[in-house]
């Protein structure tokens, strides 16, 4: 991200009133920069020749507002910031000789990148959008952290009293340009004057017009440090104001409290009203640069009204301080598209899924017909942000809904392990691998399985995996045994992603010995040995969990995903979203179990009372509700972290959610079973099957104990970092 003065995205002819003497400029620049002038439509100009391009910034022509357009100050600050590595374009020269082009000007590096004129950041994905907003806030905080004295700007500003000066300057500027009486502006000015913060002593560098469209973002990337630092902030898309404040405070290393927030909101609106009035006045004088300057006159009064509203907001806010972000339901709002899809999924479940479930209590396999209906309704592959356009947070709400019935995810082509495998292929697959496997998976034409766990080694430590990988000419040869390969028994399962190992005997290579390889299920040497049961049941709804032998299985070298030794990297990418989907489904399942519990407690009588009238049962109901809400918030928080910071940044939240969801769902279903008495363990209600499923959650995708150890490790690391940051 680079903080720069504004430039138009498109080069347009120089406006008549902005034209200057190009020959003079060329003469002046010869020996300094060789540049050819190509005008732009505002006081910032692109200079280009065969060697490169530069940017010229000058004062606008005509009578100017008091203390506005001080390009000499801009240049000086930019120089100071550039010296300390702050992301501004390199300032190159300043010309005070007004005879050259009519005003003072300076020239700086031309930075290439993305400028978003539309603050909704069209073209950026939901994840990227949130990250870009957060990056902007981080840069702002970084600017405010600059030590003015240390960068040589001591004495530059006027020191303490910033708020008082701001109110007075903007009042004067507004009055100098006002074309009619607007009482709201006067009232706002009076309120600000009479309500200045008592402690108005802080001095920092202030960018007078810090907005997203005054920033240049990297052409393609979001800064790596931004993605990582989002882990704690967990902003959504676009991030909520409280989130941005929390991130700002953290980056400035100040307590998460913003005193007199209402004053600053009102001041911002007042300044905007003043700016709008200034632009309109320049339009009346005929030297406005904005093409729609004539419209600004109409926005002055509404802006002042907004400022007056701002007075009534809380006197101070504590982003992430007075209340944890997770407690604010706005943090987990879906995008409009996400809400629309959730509604559609709910309606689909009501019309096509729940009625089918009653035919054969949660056991009816997903019918092709219902799957086709879901697909026709556009409810297909919703789990994959790149395909569905939904964020993880959007999909988390949908996964909760589909979690209420065992076979529902399959109807929407959102069933594990295919979802994780599709994610792997989408993120890491070659074009050929995508064409051959991802596309038919996305169309729902084939199924897949994921072969990581092995019978002979403790697989919760993935470095133990033994299944071997050996190169032989233009082929890989795989030998080993896997088990718990879910879905492998389905007749539609056509491909396995197999975690294999190329042993190096060097302990430093432990995490670089494993690779993931695509193995078509019909390859010679792949043998399904036996299906495994879960609590004695075959659990065959998605094709069963199989033990598989790989005996001299040969595949082309091009079947490796990402490259040799990249298995762990892929596993990290795969497991984040997959775990999130499991957990949100567990929340939906727990909701369903609580529903059944309450129905039973309300209709069954023992010892002269309805079950719920026994206090112990009433308390169970309350405890289940609390546990579900807690887990949902934790899970949605993990979804937001994933959206904003990616899998690496969301690791701790994902691990916490994974442990909490399995435990919570087991507890809720167990209580529902208890309330049902013997019926609870029968097939008349889906609770026994629900229990079997949620109990496996505490083992599958890594047992609770392993996650607890890694949460503790990350927590200790974070705590120690905080301590060292304070020192
Ligand atoms: C229903 C179901 C579906 C599955 N689907 C798949 C699939 O599709 N593909 C696949 O590859 N695998 C699958 N698995 C396997 C699952 O991922 C593994 O069972 C899991 O990773 C644990 O490995 P393990 O069974 O070898 O347990 P082990 O590694 O032998 O661990 C046994 C126990 O040791 C304890 N333990 C382990 N490490 C620690 C520690 N650091 N601290 C304290 N205690 C510890 C834990 O209590 C753990 O439960 C599935 C499992 C189930 C139940």
């Amino acid at each position: 991200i680079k903080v720069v003065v504004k430039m138009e995205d498109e080069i347009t002819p120089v406006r008549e009133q902005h034209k200057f003497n190009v020959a003079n400029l060329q003469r002046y620049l010869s020996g300094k920069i060789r540049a050819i002038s190509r005008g732009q439509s505002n006081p910032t100009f692109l200079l280009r020749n065969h060697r490169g391009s530069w940017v010229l910034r000058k004062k606008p022509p005509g009578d100017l507002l008091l203390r506005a357009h001080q390009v000499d100050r801009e240049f000086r600050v930019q120089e100071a910031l550039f010296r300390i590595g702050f992301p501004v374009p390199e300032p190159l020269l300043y010309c005070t000789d007004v005879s050259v082009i009519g005003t003072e000007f300076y020239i700086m590096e031309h930075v290439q990148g993305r400028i978003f004129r539309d603050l909704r950041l069209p073209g950026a994905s939901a994840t990227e959008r949130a990250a870009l907003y957060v990056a902007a806030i981080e840069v702002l905080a970084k600017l405010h952290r600059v030590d003015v004295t240390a960068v040589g700007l001591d004495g530059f500003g006027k020191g303490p009293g910033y708020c008082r000066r701001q109110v007075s300057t903007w009042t004067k500027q507004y009055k100098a340009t006002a074309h009619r009486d607007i009482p709201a502006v006067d009232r706002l000015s009076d309120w600000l004057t009479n309500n200045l913060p008592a402690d108005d002593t802080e001095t920092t560098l202030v960018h007078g017009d810090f907005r997203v469209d005054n920033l240049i973002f990297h052409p393609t990337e979001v800064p790596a440090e931004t993605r990582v630092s989002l882990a704690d902030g967990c902003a959504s898309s676009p991030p909520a104001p409280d989130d941005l404040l929390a991130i700002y405070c953290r980056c400035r290393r100040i307590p998460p409290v913003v005193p007199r927030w209402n004053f600053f909101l009102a001041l911002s609106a007042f300044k905007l009203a003043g700016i709008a009035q200034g632009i309109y006045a320049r339009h009346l004088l005929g030297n406005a640069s904005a093409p729609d300057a004539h419209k600004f006159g109409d926005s002055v009064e509404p802006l002042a009204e907004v400022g007056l509203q701002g007075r009534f907001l809380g006197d101070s806010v504590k982003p992430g301080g007075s209340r944890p972000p997770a407690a604010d339901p706005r943090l987990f709002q879906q995008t409009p598209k996400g809400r629309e899809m959730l509604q559609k999924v709910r309606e689909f479940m009501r019309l096509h899924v729940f009625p089918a479930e009653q035919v054969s209590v949660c056991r009816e396999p997903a019918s092709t017909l219902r799957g086709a209906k879901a697909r026709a309704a556009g409810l297909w592959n919703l789990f994959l942000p790149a395909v569905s356009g939904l964020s993880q947070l959007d999909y988390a709400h949908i996964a909760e809904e589909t979690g209420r019935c065992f076979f529902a995810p399959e109807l929407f082509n959102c069933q594990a392990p295919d979802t994780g495998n599709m994610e792997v292929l989408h993120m890491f697959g070659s074009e050929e691998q995508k064409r051959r496997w991802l596309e038919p998976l996305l169309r729902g034409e084939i199924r897949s399985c994921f072969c990581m766990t092995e019978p002979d080694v403790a697989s919760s430590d993935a470095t133990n995996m033994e299944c071997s990988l050996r190169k032989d000419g233009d082929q890989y040869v795989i030998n080993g045994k896997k088990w718990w390969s879910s879905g492998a028994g389905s007749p539609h399962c056509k491909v396995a992603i197999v975690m294999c190992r190329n042993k190096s005997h060097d302990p430093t290579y432990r995490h670089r010995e494993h690779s993931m390889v695509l193995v078509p299920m019909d390859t010679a040497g792949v043998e399904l040995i036996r299906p495994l049961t879960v609590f004695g049941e075959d659990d065959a709804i998605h094709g069963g969990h199989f033990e598989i032998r790989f005996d001299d299985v040969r595949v082309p070298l091009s079947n490796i995903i990402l490259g040799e030794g990249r298995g762990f990297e892929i596993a990290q990418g795969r497991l984040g979203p997959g775990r999130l989907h499991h957990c949100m489904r567990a929340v939906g399942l727990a909701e369903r179990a609580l529903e059944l519990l309450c129905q039973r407690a309300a209709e069954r009588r023992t010892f002269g009372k309805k079950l719920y009238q026994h206090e112990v049962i009433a308390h169970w109901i309350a405890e289940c509700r609390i546990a579900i809400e807690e887990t949902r918030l934790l899970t949605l928080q993990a979804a937001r972290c994933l959206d904003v910071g990616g899998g690496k940044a969301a690791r701790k939240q994902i691990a916490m959610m994974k442990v909490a969801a399995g435990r919570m769902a087991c507890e809720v279903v167990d209580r529902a079973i208890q309330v049902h008495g013997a019926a609870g363990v029968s097939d008349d209600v889906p609770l026994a099957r629900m229990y079997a499923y949620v109990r496996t959650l505490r083992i599958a995708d890594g047992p609770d104990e392993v996650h607890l150890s890694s949460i503790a490790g990350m927590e200790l690391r974070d705590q120690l970092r905080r301590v060292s940051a304070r020192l």
Side-chain angles (χ1 to χ4, degrees):
I1 190 169
K2 295 258 179 192
V3 180
V4 294
V5 290
K6 184 149 56 186
M7 279 196 37
E8 293 296 328
D9 309 354
E10 290 161 16
I11 297 172
T12 55
V14 178
R15 288 165 169 253
E16 201 49 46
Q17 71 266 34
H18 284 162
K19 281 196 172 148
F20 55 70
N21 189 326
V22 175
N24 263 3
L25 178 67
Q26 278 178 301
R27 254 195 310 281
Y28 177 80
L29 291 175
S30 60
K32 296 187 174 76
I33 310 174
R34 289 178 181 279
I36 295 172
S37 169
R38 287 281 299 273
Q40 282 222 124
S41 61
N42 64 30
T44 307
F45 301 81
L46 184 66
L47 312 179
R48 239 182 4 206
N49 73 2
H50 60 284
R51 294 185 189 191
S53 54
W54 300 266
V55 171
L56 180 150
R57 174 100 164 142
K58 71 185 276 293
K59 291 186 180 194
D63 290 337
L64 303 176
L65 280 180
L66 176 71
R67 292 159 58 77
H69 308 289
Q70 292 178 305
V71 290
D72 54 329
R73 283 165 64 88
E74 280 177 14
F75 185 75
R76 199 177 145 201
V77 175
Q78 204 163 314
E79 260 189 326
L81 290 175
F82 185 78
R83 269 199 306 273
I84 58 163
F86 188 86
V88 287
E90 182 178 8
L92 300 170
L93 66 82
Y94 190 85
C95 174
T96 51
D97 184 351
V98 295
S99 69
V100 179
I101 61 167
T103 67
E104 294 180 22
F105 67 91
Y106 68 94
I107 290 179
M108 63 183 135
E109 173 194 6
H110 177 210
V111 175
Q112 308 283 347
R114 282 179 293 174
I115 300 176
F116 295 97
R117 292 277 167 243
D118 184 338
L119 302 189
R120 292 163 296 182
L121 313 189
S125 69
T127 306
E128 213 183 1
R129 219 164 18 240
L132 293 173
Y133 265 104
V134 172
I137 287 297
E138 288 182 334
V139 165
L140 182 66
K142 196 171 174 183
L143 180 68
H144 292 172
R145 257 197 3 241
V146 168
D147 181 338
V148 179
T149 308
V151 297
L153 291 175
D154 211 8
F156 181 73
K158 295 204 165 141
Y162 172 79
C163 296
R164 181 180 40 75
R165 283 198 305 278
Q166 281 284 295
V167 175
S168 136
T169 304
W170 283 99
T171 300
K172 280 185 206 147
Q173 291 201 349
Y174 168 74
K175 286 188 174 154
T177 56
H179 65 292
R180 67 180 174 97
D181 267 356
I182 304 179
V185 182
D186 298 331
R187 272 194 295 139
L188 183 54
S189 165
D190 289 347
W191 184 85
L192 289 165
T193 310
N194 296 326
N195 288 276
L196 290 166
D199 183 17
D200 189 13
T201 53
E202 190 181 4
T203 53
T204 62
L205 267 183
V206 178
H207 187 295
D209 197 9
F210 193 87
R211 321 192 300 245
V212 163
D213 62 339
N214 271 348
L215 303 174
I216 293 183
F217 293 91
H218 188 279
T220 52
E221 291 170 15
V222 174
E225 65 270 23
T226 302
R227 295 170 69 88
V228 171
S229 69
L230 293 173
D232 301 338
C234 298
S236 69
S237 170
D242 270 11
D243 269 358
L244 293 177
L245 273 172
I247 292 166
Y248 173 84
C249 293
R250 194 191 59 213
C251 293
R252 275 204 70 187
R253 298 176 194 146
I254 57 175
V257 180
V258 184
R260 298 303 316 278
W261 182 234
N262 57 347
F263 174 86
F264 290 104
L265 285 182
L267 177 61
S268 296
F270 182 58
K271 285 167 72 170
L272 286 174
I275 291 168
Q277 184 60 53
I279 294 172
Y280 185 65
R282 280 172 54 201
H283 156 72
L284 294 178
L285 292 172
N287 62 4
S289 49
D292 52 355
H294 60 285
K295 294 185 190 158
F296 279 74
D298 293 338
S299 51
V300 179
E301 189 166 5
L303 281 166
E305 293 292 353
V306 168
L308 289 168
Q309 293 290 322
R311 293 174 305 167
F312 304 118
L313 289 176
D315 198 41
S316 76
V317 289
K318 295 180 181 180
S322 58
R323 51 167 177 61
D328 183 350
R330 285 173 310 159
L331 293 176
F332 304 129
Q333 257 179 16
Q334 291 177 284
T335 60
K337 183 168 182 188
R339 278 198 292 277
E340 184 195 327
M341 283 298 174
L342 178 61
Q343 265 322 104
K344 285 189 178 170
V345 168
R346 282 195 176 134
E347 190 58 8
F348 192 89
M349 296 280 289
R350 191 178 68 77
L351 291 176
H352 306 293
V353 179
F354 295 125
E357 189 189 25
Q358 275 152 21
V359 174
S360 171
V361 191
C362 283
R363 283 180 171 243
E364 184 180 301
S367 81
T368 318
L369 188 63
R370 277 193 295 275
K373 273 188 185 152
R375 190 172 179 179
L379 305 175
W380 197 251
N381 295 326
L382 299 177
F383 71 96
L384 196 58
V387 172
S388 65
L390 299 177
S391 64
Q392 296 289 355
L393 185 68
D394 285 334
Y395 181 65
H397 288 279
I398 292 170
E400 173 178 341
E401 194 60 29
T402 61
R404 295 167 71 87
C405 170
F406 288 114
F407 59 79
E410 221 169 327
L411 298 179
F412 304 109
N413 207 35
C414 289
Q415 69 288 344
D418 297 305
T419 45
N421 291 344
M422 286 189 260
E423 249 144 15
V424 165
L425 288 166
H426 171 72
M427 282 193 282
F428 307 109
S430 66
E431 287 312 310
E432 172 56 18
Q433 290 166 354
K434 285 183 187 168
R435 195 193 54 74
R436 175 135 187 236
W437 301 114
L438 177 60
E439 287 175 16
L441 278 166
L442 285 171
R443 290 194 295 268
E445 291 164 2
I446 62 166
R447 289 282 156 85
S448 60
C449 62
F450 184 66
C451 304
M452 188 151 159
T453 308
E454 298 179 8
D456 300 331
V457 292
S459 302
S460 46
D461 176 355
T463 59
N464 283 342
M465 307 301 171
E466 293 284 353
C467 181
S468 72
L469 183 74
R470 178 172 58 84
K471 213 185 240 176
D472 184 18
D474 57 359
Q475 289 183 322
Y476 283 118
V477 185
I478 300 169
N479 276 290
K481 227 196 276 176
K482 297 283 179 183
W483 73 345
W484 290 100
S485 301
S486 303
S490 160
H492 305 294
C493 180
K494 300 295 179 205
V495 65
I497 295 181
V498 186
M499 180 88 143
C500 310
R501 182 176 189 177
N502 193 342
K503 255 190 185 163
S504 73
H505 301 293
D506 177 349
T508 57
Y509 266 73
R510 275 189 85 203
H511 289 93
R512 278 176 286 163
E513 288 181 344
H514 292 83
S515 310
M516 288 200 192
V517 182
L518 285 156
V519 179
M521 293 301 279
D522 58 3
T523 313
V526 176
E527 187 190 350
L528 297 191
I529 297 176
R530 59 168 177 147
L532 295 144
T533 60
V534 175
F535 289 108
E537 295 278 337
D538 63 7
D539 204 32
I541 194 161
H542 305 310
H545 317 283
F546 268 78
E547 184 171 335
I548 307 179
R549 184 181 298 132
F550 296 85
D551 200 4
D552 270 335
V553 171
R554 287 177 173 267
V555 292
L557 295 184
S558 57
N559 278 27
I560 196 151
I561 304 177
L562 203 59
E564 281 183 34
R566 312 285 294 270
F568 275 87
E569 214 176 303
I570 300 172
Q572 286 307 328
R574 179 188 192 277
L575 292 177
R579 284 178 183 149
L580 177 71
H581 306 160
H582 271 310
C583 293
M584 277 313 275
R585 284 197 288 265
V587 171
L589 180 147
E591 283 284 8
R592 186 82 195 281
L594 180 56
E595 229 170 77
L596 294 170
L597 185 162
C598 291
Q599 279 164 16
R600 186 72 167 186
E603 66 196 22
R604 202 91 165 157
R605 292 181 82 84
T606 61
F607 301 96
K609 292 190 215 177
K610 291 267 175 75
L611 283 181
Y612 74 86
Q613 288 167 328
H614 295 281
E615 195 179 42
V616 64
I617 309 276
H619 284 194
W620 286 354
I621 292 171
E623 279 167 20
C624 287
R625 170 51 55 212
I626 294 168
I628 292 174
E629 297 292 335
E630 283 172 347
T631 310
R632 180 185 288 113
L633 290 175
L634 208 51
T635 309
L636 292 175
Q637 190 195 32
R640 298 179 65 240
C641 289
L642 205 54
D643 273 334
V644 176
K648 200 171 167 196
R651 271 183 66 206
K652 191 159 87 179
Q653 270 75 17
I654 287 172
M656 291 194 293
M657 154 202 87
K658 167 76 171 58
V659 174
R663 285 178 175 176
M664 176 280 292
C666 281
E667 194 180 297
V668 173
V669 178
D670 185 56
R671 285 185 165 140
I673 289 174
Q674 195 68 14
V675 169
H676 278 77
V681 294
S682 77
D683 228 2
D684 288 2
V685 285
L687 292 167
R689 188 173 166 72
M690 282 181 175
Y691 187 80
Y693 167 68
V694 294
R695 184 63 185 83
T696 64
L697 275 188
R698 298 192 50 207
I699 298 169
D701 267 0
D704 285 0
E705 294 73 19
V706 173
H707 289 296
L708 287 169
S709 295
S710 56
I711 295 164
M714 287 184 267
E715 182 63 23
L716 282 164
R717 184 202 62 196
D718 293 346
Q719 292 285 350
L720 293 176
R721 271 193 194 153
R722 262 171 232 155
V723 171
S724 61
R726 278 200 294 270
L727 291 177

